[in-house]
Amino acid sequence: MTDDYFMGRALQEARAALAAGEIPIGAVVVLDDRIVGRGHNQTERLRDVTAHAEMLALTAAANHLGNKYLTGCTLYVTVEPCVMCAGASAWAQLGAVVYGAEELKTGFRRFGDLLHPRTALRGGVRAAECAALMQSFFRAKRR
Amino acid sequence: MTDDYFMGRALQEARAALAAGEIPIGAVVVLDDRIVGRGHNQTERLRDVTAHAEMLALTAAANHLGNKYLTGCTLYVTVEPCVMCAGASAWAQLGAVVYGAEELKTGFRRFGDLLHPRTALRGGVRAAECAALMQSFFRAKRR
């Protein structure tokens, strides 16, 4: 099981968001090669700015595992997390965060290292596919 | 209606958290002198690191108002928000964030200005009472 494979599962979630008229971002949480939580952006449907893909996936994983700490888990998300989701990832003490496309404006990285010191960070996994989904959404919005 | 009054309502929420064995932090969201959302820390009960007082109060306010944007609303919270909650406050485009006790270690302020540019920030409201609740919790924990 590779980063590419699990990013593909996050991309499936992102496509579900797109089909529902949401900004197409998807996430999965993986422990020992098994998906223990997933989510896609639902800020419109739930009318809730906190309903980002990552937040829903982290909450789902904690529910599934019965543990609020997700040590040893990896969060895969199609777009670089925002400050809120980076903060949530820090509290969860994730083993790793892996994102697809970078997000220069709202991504957390320009605010410094907001993740837990023990959380590894990898970016750029299937970035072109992740970015293409976002571009198609915003292009359609502008029409 | 003053900051002191609404911080008192946030303190009531914090005491409810304390009574439930949670880290005693409470929050209310106020629009036009009315409370439209409230919450207290429930990370233990829900086994969910995202269940901070502010997150629950913001979600409750958005549900109540039927609008994910909380422009014109003020978030009162007994302790300086963390990075996650500051990020959520930014997405919600709050009118103001008012906190009680400062939090030098996990508070958002040391990471820079994470709030929305139109969000006012005030701190130190009933700070001694807010801090005393936290101290009594952690003192009891150590025993």
Side-chain angles (χ1 to χ4, degrees):
Chain A
M1 299 293 208
T2 63
D3 280 355
D4 269 30
Y5 172 78
F6 287 115
M7 190 58 75
R9 299 294 299 270
L11 275 161
Q12 284 178 6
E13 287 292 320
R15 281 183 213 105
L18 186 69
E22 302 274 358
I23 295 177
I25 301 177
V28 295
V29 176
V30 174
L31 177 64
D32 297 335
D33 277 348
R34 282 181 53 235
I35 291 176
V36 293
R38 59 200 176 91
H40 57 262
N41 183 42
Q42 294 199 54
T43 54
E44 294 305 322
R45 191 170 86 83
L46 301 179
R47 285 186 192 153
D48 185 348
V49 295
T50 74
H52 281 194
E54 301 93 316
M55 303 296 279
L56 301 174
L58 291 173
T59 295
N63 285 346
H64 180 73
L65 299 173
N67 192 338
K68 66 177 181 162
Y69 296 117
L70 302 175
T71 326
C73 292
T74 299
L75 171 70
Y76 291 87
V77 55
T78 57
V79 177
E80 179 186 340
C82 73
V83 162
M84 171 180 72
C85 295
S89 300
W91 286 119
Q93 303 184 12
L94 285 165
V97 170
V98 181
Y99 65 86
E102 67 181 6
E103 174 53 85
L104 293 177
K105 196 171 166 217
T106 60
F108 79 93
R109 289 183 305 152
R110 69 188 181 94
F111 296 99
D113 193 2
L114 304 184
L115 300 178
H116 192 279
R118 283 195 299 271
T119 304
L121 179 65
R122 302 191 287 280
V125 176
R126 298 181 71 164
E129 290 162 87
C130 295
L133 266 179
M134 295 289 274
Q135 285 151 10
S136 69
F137 175 82
F138 287 109
R139 205 178 301 125
K141 271 269 179 197
R142 281 194 296 271
R143 268 203 299 268
Chain B
M1 299 293 208
T2 62
D3 280 355
D4 269 30
Y5 173 77
F6 287 116
M7 191 59 75
R9 300 295 299 269
L11 275 160
Q12 284 179 6
E13 288 293 320
R15 281 183 214 107
L18 186 69
E22 302 274 359
I23 295 177
I25 301 177
V28 294
V29 176
V30 174
L31 177 64
D32 296 336
D33 277 347
R34 283 182 52 237
I35 291 176
V36 293
R38 58 200 176 92
H40 56 261
N41 184 41
Q42 295 197 54
T43 53
E44 295 304 322
R45 192 171 86 84
L46 300 178
R47 284 187 192 152
D48 184 347
V49 295
T50 74
H52 282 194
E54 301 95 312
M55 303 296 280
L56 300 174
L58 292 173
T59 295
N63 284 345
H64 180 74
L65 299 172
N67 191 340
K68 66 179 180 162
Y69 295 117
L70 302 175
T71 325
C73 291
T74 298
L75 170 71
Y76 291 88
V77 56
T78 56
V79 177
E80 179 187 340
C82 73
V83 162
M84 172 180 71
C85 294
S89 300
W91 285 119
Q93 302 184 13
L94 284 165
V97 170
V98 181
Y99 65 86
E102 67 180 7
E103 174 52 87
L104 293 176
K105 195 170 166 217
T106 60
F108 79 93
R109 288 182 307 152
R110 70 187 181 95
F111 297 99
D113 192 3
L114 303 184
L115 300 179
H116 192 278
R118 283 194 298 270
T119 304
L121 179 65
R122 302 192 287 279
V125 176
R126 299 180 72 163
E129 289 161 88
C130 296
L133 266 179
M134 294 289 275
Q135 284 152 9
S136 69
F137 176 82
F138 286 109
R139 205 179 303 126
K141 271 268 179 198
R142 280 194 297 270
R143 269 203 297 266

